[in-house]
Amino acid sequence: MELALLLVVVVVVVALVFDFTNGFHDAANAIATSISTRALTPRVALGLATLCNFVGAFLGTGVAETIGDGIIDVGVGPGALWLVLIALVAAIGWQLITWWRGLPSSASHALVGALAGTGLVTGAVVHWEVVLDMVVVPMVLSPLIGFALAYLVMLAVLWAFRRSAPGPTHRRFRLAQTVSASAMALGHGLQDAQKTMGVIVLALIAGGYHSSEDFSVPLWVRVAAAVAISAGTYAGGWRIIRTLGRRLIQLDPARGFTAEAVSASVLYVAALGFHAPVSTTQTISSAIIGVGVTRRASAVRWEVARSMLTAWALTLPAAAALAAGTALLLRLFSLV
């Protein structure tokens, strides 16, 4: 087997491993609130999220195009494939570090940061205007929008049901959370599975097995990415589920439904309207905080929120540093 083909196979496998870790790392995004409010049992919630993640992966390819064709030009040949591999390994490393610490972090930003860090060290062309417009700006805006919308919608819900009996109202919102959790999981599949698709297509282009003139995602890439993220989701990420579902704030069904519905809306608009790879983690976390402060500011455990904000702020530079360090190490062996 020639070196380029071997490296393409390795990159595809590692990309699917990244997709799998993304699934179990971000399983909490779709189901933590539903489990916390007892709207769904953990296994039922995981099963529902798994199915919806799989379906969501087939709803579009705009985010895949941004990741695979807009962030970095790696070139063609074995050296280019090493660059993609380094970025994937660094992104996986950061995902595992934050998972171990029980901190929700962004797989999107880990991947983009790793690609940019690799490009800085190796001299590959990084499209910084795309990174700014399609990654950094949405990274800042999506949590703010998620927080503000969740806060306002929750106020409207509280006003609309102000005279309703608490017991029946909670039961109705628990049922509604089946829909909102499904919508959130679909949005996660739509956003995060596409990021892996984009990296795989980038590797195929670098290996000379896919045309760079007309970016498209082959069906087998879409199926493989959908299966990997779904399997990771079913494996679950219980450390992060506890952080989002219990440690950050104690949710009731109405607040859980509102946070999920708002987050899903932001994910759909970003992916389908702007092709922007936003963080599902940041969106749902900020929405949870938004619904939480409608109860009272002290209802949010701000020390947990501060830890999450720190992880968010560190993700881009930390993944870039991991990738750059790995690339520098491999340059000693003349691999990149």
Side-chain angles (χ1 to χ4, degrees):
M1 183 182 294
E2 64 179 22
L3 180 59
L5 179 57
L6 176 61
L7 284 173
V8 167
V9 172
V10 171
V11 170
V12 169
V13 171
V14 175
L16 294 177
V17 171
F18 170 77
D19 206 21
F20 180 87
T21 62
N22 188 350
F24 79 69
H25 192 284
D26 288 0
N29 296 340
I31 63 175
T33 54
S34 296
I35 293 173
S36 175
T37 61
R38 295 184 175 86
L40 297 170
T41 65
R43 283 300 164 193
V44 170
L46 276 173
L48 182 63
T50 299
L51 176 62
C52 291
N53 264 287
F54 182 85
V55 174
F58 294 93
L59 297 182
T61 59
V63 173
E65 183 173 352
T66 298
I67 293 293
D69 196 41
I71 302 298
I72 186 172
D73 293 335
V74 296
V76 178
L81 289 164
W82 277 111
L83 302 189
V84 181
L85 183 58
I86 290 168
L88 282 169
V89 171
I92 291 171
W94 181 249
Q95 286 280 87
L96 293 176
I97 290 169
T98 51
W99 168 81
W100 180 252
R101 299 292 298 172
L103 294 173
S105 67
S106 170
S108 313
H109 301 150
L111 182 58
V112 172
L115 287 169
T118 305
L120 278 173
V121 170
T122 60
V125 177
V126 180
H127 299 289
W128 294 109
E129 71 283 358
V130 177
V131 174
L132 176 63
D133 294 342
M134 302 296 286
V135 180
V136 176
V137 171
M139 178 180 73
V140 175
L141 289 182
S142 59
L144 295 176
I145 292 171
F147 173 86
L149 278 180
Y151 177 80
L152 294 173
V153 172
M154 191 64 226
L155 288 180
V157 168
L158 290 172
W159 185 85
F161 290 90
R162 66 191 183 283
R163 293 190 178 90
S164 301
T169 301
H170 284 331
R171 284 194 292 272
R172 293 189 190 101
F173 274 109
R174 281 195 180 97
L175 290 173
Q177 274 197 273
T178 303
V179 177
S180 60
S182 300
M184 183 66 199
L186 279 170
H188 180 250
L190 172 64
Q191 274 281 344
D192 286 46
Q194 285 193 56
K195 295 154 191 172
T196 298
M197 297 177 200
V199 173
I200 292 176
V201 174
L202 179 62
L204 294 175
I205 293 171
Y209 295 97
H210 192 78
S211 172
S212 60
E213 298 299 323
D214 181 24
F215 188 93
S216 62
V217 182
L219 179 61
W220 70 268
V221 174
R222 302 180 74 174
V223 172
V227 169
I229 199 169
S230 299
T233 299
Y234 194 73
W238 296 108
R239 290 173 182 268
I240 296 169
I241 285 173
R242 284 193 293 270
T243 298
L244 281 181
R246 296 172 187 166
R247 289 180 58 208
L248 184 58
I249 184 175
Q250 191 65 40
L251 291 169
D252 56 52
R255 286 178 170 83
F257 169 80
T258 301
E260 290 169 342
V262 167
S263 300
S265 301
V266 173
L267 295 179
Y268 294 148
V269 171
L272 300 176
F274 299 99
H275 299 173
V278 301
S279 169
T280 55
T281 303
Q282 292 180 5
T283 305
I284 185 63
S285 300
S286 59
I288 289 174
I289 295 172
V291 299
V293 296
T294 60
R295 180 180 290 160
R296 62 185 185 281
S298 60
V300 179
R301 295 182 178 92
W302 292 106
E303 68 280 4
V304 178
R306 281 193 293 271
S307 297
M308 291 167 53
L309 286 169
T310 300
W312 295 354
L314 286 176
T315 293
L316 267 171
L322 281 173
T326 305
L328 286 172
L329 181 63
L330 290 180
R331 288 188 77 171
L332 296 177
F333 299 95
S334 301
L335 292 174
V336 295

